[in-house]
Amino acid sequence: MSIAMATPQQQPSPDNDRLYQWIIELSNPDIRENALLELSKKRESVHDLAPMLWHSFGTIASLLQEIVNIYPAINPATLTAHQSNRVCNALALLQCVASHPETRSAFLQAHLPLFLYPFLYTVSKTRPFEYLRLTSLGVIGALVKTDEQEVITFLLTTEIIPLCLRIMESGSELSKTVATFILQKILLDDSGLSYICQTYDRFSHVAMILGKMVLSLAKEPSARLLKHVVRCYLRLSDNARAREALRQCLPDQLKDNTFSECLAEDKSTKHWLAQLLKNLETSTPDLNNLGVTLSAPVNLS
């Protein structure tokens, strides 16, 4: 079994030898667990780990085997903490592959994200399931973070939007945040915005879930989650039909001073909200309650 992954700049070293040995051990189910753990610890520090994993014999198949082996434990919901930790180490390595520029396209062409979707359908609130969903979302988040058209084009052919909306409605705060970030990144792409605003059903589903999140945030504020929700609304307001609908359905909590304390130290979200209200032609007094000046520059990055 050959792993000839070293680049010309790499010199043989004990660390590299250990990496290669762990990668080889992934193909052996009897000793795979420790290799998954050790390699997942190295994913941030070893820049070329993703190509090493992708091009080594049997490695991706071994990671997929880890994922598929968990399917019986999600329905009925019998997933244990040990099972969750193990499969999440495999998912962490897949995230490494998904985020690397040399392996991302091949990762998408192999439709590997689809293997994660059954995990996103789960509804159990136990910690093993929450960890599983969050780690799976992390793989998709790593893909959309690249802002590449290829990623959005692929995701729009799958059911990722309803899956994210489902989690945005009923997940933990952290899962909601990652799911909303994924939706935000899809919306920021022109094809994603067009797709969601193409039919009333798609738009109304997104608007309904975002509205529910605003109501929930009014009771339990989270500046991080609110930032992504406001950014989604702002991007929707770039579409003429969605903008007209938002004039009727934007939650009142975004128009008054409900979130003034939450936004006090978040200038970017404050500017996004100001621009949203301006796009919807909301009256200036409402903006003054938020301490927002419409003439302030808006950073939409």
Side-chain angles (χ1 to χ4, degrees):
M1 190 177 301
S2 173
I3 303 182
M5 243 55 58
T7 63
Q9 292 78 19
Q10 287 178 318
Q11 298 297 322
S13 71
D15 285 343
N16 282 344
D17 289 344
R18 280 195 291 271
L19 280 175
Y20 299 147
Q21 184 59 39
W22 287 327
I23 292 174
I24 290 171
E25 289 174 1
L26 289 176
S27 296
N28 185 341
D30 295 331
I31 56 176
R32 182 183 298 159
E33 184 170 5
N34 181 66
L36 286 169
L37 176 62
E38 296 299 335
L39 286 169
S40 67
K41 293 177 183 177
K42 298 291 185 181
R43 67 186 190 278
E44 299 290 343
S45 58
V46 180
H47 175 70
D48 290 329
L49 180 58
M52 292 165 68
L53 292 171
W54 185 261
H55 294 292
S56 54
F57 178 79
T59 296
I60 300 301
S62 299
L63 297 179
L64 291 179
Q65 186 179 52
E66 287 294 308
I67 290 170
V68 173
N69 284 346
I70 292 299
Y71 288 170
I74 63 178
N75 189 20
T78 59
L79 185 71
T80 66
H82 178 262
Q83 288 175 311
S84 180
N85 287 336
R86 175 166 173 159
V87 73
C88 283
N89 284 335
L91 291 171
L93 295 181
L94 281 184
Q95 179 174 334
C96 175
V97 174
S99 59
H100 197 285
E102 291 182 29
T103 52
R104 188 183 306 116
S105 290
F107 182 85
L108 290 173
Q109 290 166 13
H111 289 198
L112 295 185
L114 300 183
F115 285 90
L116 280 55
Y117 286 12
F119 299 154
L120 300 180
Y121 272 111
T122 61
V123 295
S124 173
K125 302 289 188 182
T126 64
R127 290 184 67 181
F129 274 99
E130 180 57 32
Y131 185 36
L132 179 62
R133 279 190 297 272
L134 187 59
T135 309
S136 300
L137 284 170
V139 178
I140 309 300
L143 283 171
V144 299
K145 199 172 183 179
T146 64
D147 295 319
E148 291 190 358
Q149 179 66 52
E150 180 186 19
V151 172
I152 304 301
T153 300
F154 170 80
L155 291 177
L156 290 178
T157 67
T158 75
E159 65 268 36
I160 191 60
I161 293 176
L163 282 173
C164 283
L165 292 173
R166 178 190 182 116
I167 293 170
M168 287 162 61
E169 182 175 16
S170 60
S172 68
E173 180 189 330
L174 197 50
S175 289
K176 284 181 178 180
T177 302
V178 180
T180 311
F181 170 77
I182 293 169
L183 178 65
Q184 171 189 318
K185 284 294 191 178
I186 292 173
L187 280 168
L188 287 174
D189 185 271
D190 287 343
S191 63
L193 178 64
S194 297
Y195 177 88
I196 287 175
C197 296
Q198 187 174 25
T199 69
Y200 175 77
D201 285 344
R202 289 176 190 166
F203 169 80
S204 62
H205 191 191
V206 171
M208 179 188 69
I209 298 301
L210 289 173
K212 287 183 176 181
M213 294 179 74
V214 171
L215 295 178
S216 176
L217 285 166
K219 298 175 183 176
E220 298 179 20
S222 164
R224 178 172 53 179
L225 183 53
L226 180 62
K227 175 193 278 291
H228 296 305
V229 170
V230 169
R231 191 64 184 91
C232 286
Y233 270 123
L234 177 57
R235 179 55 172 160
L236 285 171
S237 75
D238 288 337
N239 179 276
R241 294 171 63 195
R243 184 164 60 247
E244 189 60 37
L246 287 174
R247 290 191 176 106
Q248 307 300 321
C249 69
L250 188 73
D252 291 338
Q253 289 81 358
L254 291 178
K255 304 174 188 176
D256 57 28
N257 62 354
T258 298
F259 295 109
S260 57
E261 185 176 341
C262 191
L263 295 174
E265 298 182 4
D266 191 340
K267 293 183 179 179
S268 61
T269 305
K270 205 186 289 188
H271 286 316
W272 290 341
L273 182 55
Q275 187 64 50
L276 168 64
L277 297 178
K278 183 180 181 182
N279 289 355
L280 303 183
E281 298 177 348
T282 303
S283 60
T284 302
D286 289 326
L287 297 179
N288 290 337
N289 284 333
L290 293 168
V292 175
T293 303
L294 278 179
S295 60
V298 181
N299 179 5
L300 298 182
S301 61

